[in-house]
Amino acid sequence: MAFSGALTLSDLNDFISPSQACIKPVEVSKTSETQGAIKVDNSGAYYEVSQDGSETKLETASITLNDCLACSGCITSAESVLVTLQSQEELYSILKQNKIAIETNDPSTHRTVVVSISPQTRASFAAKYNQTPLQVARKLTWFFKNLGVHSVFDTTFSRDLSLLETGREFVERYKKAVAKGIIKTPNMNGPPSTTAESGGDMDVDTPQEPATKAPRKRIVRRGAASDEPAVAVETESAMPMLASACPGWICYAEKTHGYMLPYISETKSPQQIMGSMVKNHFGSQLGLTPNQIYHVCVMPCYDKKLEASRSDFYSDLYKTRDVDCVITSTEVEKMFGEQGYTSAETLDISMFGEMDLDLGYNSVVKDPVTGVDQALIGSSGNASGGFLEYIMQYAAKALFGIGGIDVENSQGVEVKTVRNADFREVTLEVPGTGEVLLKFAAAYGFRNIQNLVRKVKTGKSPYHFVEVMACPSGCINGGGQLKPHGNNYTTVPLKDWIARVDEQYRNGVMARKPEENPVLEQLYQEWLGGIDTPKARQQLRTGYHAVEQNLVNPLAVKW
């Protein structure tokens, strides 16, 4: 099949292991006959030449996303590799198949196509094409529906579910950690204790009493690297809890630091919760089984393709994934040109019409009289989803009865940038005493992540929760986002471009806490049977798997 032209091996500057190529070996069919030489013709095709002089053309080897997940050969903040079943070409194929099914009156091959768009993608298009996020949402809805897509949703709704479930999971872990003596109960009235002092610069190992002791042993997991010892922790009380919404970080932990897995939040990312909702809840409302729906997510990151391909998100019963295909912001822009929306060789989205977002899993404010979309609804916090901000607010209220926390405006908490802009600390203290109640951090980019991993491994992490993102500046700067250059666009410094996209992320968006979403409670009852039910855990939470290190030396592999 044809691969997306957006999938390249250029502009990658965040390698963790120094591999230059995929090291998964190609399986060779062995026979009793002696194999001959290999010949390469002028077109680059490979032939096996037998002893009698006959030539047999060899098939080109291919890899899938599952191969990437099972291989420890490379780790980057966006693993851009040639992979099957994850490009706009697959979406085109499904839409063509639907057209044929209608023409031949064959409903058995027809699939309902749903596209879910991330707010980071919206912001990227808004910044590049000088549109508001609402205009972008309406134009993308028009574009996809003109291709033959049936429904277009906004992943803000599933992010509300992910935030709320992560907040609940954190409170669960914190209480169990306190009950087991892993965390000392904060003194709300007495003098300050030394159990949660500032971690300071993460690059300096200063002697200090960590806020979290080594969790009690129960579940044994072995790190992927050979020099890492077996570490046993209880997932239910492992602290600090580390955010799980970034697949680049998850892939890194699974392939190189298996002992970190119990610390990672088990709550699914907004993308995968959206997948569960679309394939199960939305499908049941339409009377469709999961395999009768083709679900596409538009995301800012190539690693989201890897996340969608995980075996954890595959239904053996229906032989389908929760998210069938992930295409990035860059690939969607490429689709504009492929569909002919150009003017003087320049992409021109002013040629697009606009359509209201679909009802259901969207997040918009409508005019009460006309019913027209007026504004988008989003959550407060940073452009990576606001996990740190929301969970701090949620935990402060649930654990200590403290309200009015506003991390973005440093209200009720101390916010400090440590070493660089991609590492922040947020501390909640008892007023007037200096007693630390909660200490959170945000660690973006693999340099900060590596320091964090070292702190956790040596028991020197002072944090209760860390929002971890593989890309510097977070999701708004994902590897699949639009670039500030191109036809009729003046190149701007990356820092200024990220600031512009971040501004659009918040532009015209009404902030709302997840618990203020009136549909969530109804969804919990109708779809999941309640908040803490086996079905809720099955649909909203997941698990992780250490990948054994491949013994092949990546440096020995040549293109």
Side-chain angles (χ1 to χ4, degrees), residues 23 52 107 157 229 282 391 417 437 526:
I23 64 173
D52 62 7
F157 189 92
F282 178 68
I391 296 167
T417 299
L437 298 177
E526 291 183 356

Side-chain angles (χ1 to χ4, degrees), residues 188 395-403:
M188 298 290 289
K397 186 70 174 177
L399 295 171
F400 308 111
I402 299 175

Side-chain angles (χ1 to χ4, degrees), residues 27-38:
E27 293 184 0
V28 178
S29 177
K30 295 184 179 180
T31 65
S32 58
E33 298 178 0
T34 303
Q35 294 182 338
I38 300 297

Side-chain angles (χ1 to χ4, degrees), residues 119 122 154-157 159-160 163 362-365 375-382 385 505-514 516-517:
R122 275 197 326 250
D154 180 357
T155 63
T156 297
F157 189 92
R159 184 176 61 185
D160 279 354
L163 287 170
N362 74 332
S363 302
V364 295
V365 178
L376 293 164
I377 298 175
S379 58
S380 60
N382 62 58
Y505 178 84
R506 307 166 193 276
N507 181 27
V509 176
M510 186 179 79
R512 178 189 64 191
K513 295 180 180 178
E516 296 172 350
N517 187 334

Side-chain angles (χ1 to χ4, degrees), residues 135-148:
Q135 285 177 312
V136 169
R138 290 167 56 87
K139 286 182 180 294
L140 289 179
T141 300
W142 180 91
F143 174 77
F144 281 116
K145 288 200 170 184
N146 271 267
L147 287 179

Side-chain angles (χ1 to χ4, degrees), residues 316-335:
D316 290 320
L317 177 62
Y318 293 104
K319 308 298 181 186
T320 187
R321 301 189 185 280
D322 294 339
V323 177
D324 296 285
C325 180
V326 174
I327 53 180
T328 63
S329 309
T330 302
E331 289 171 306
V332 171
E333 185 181 50
K334 185 172 184 290
M335 292 174 69

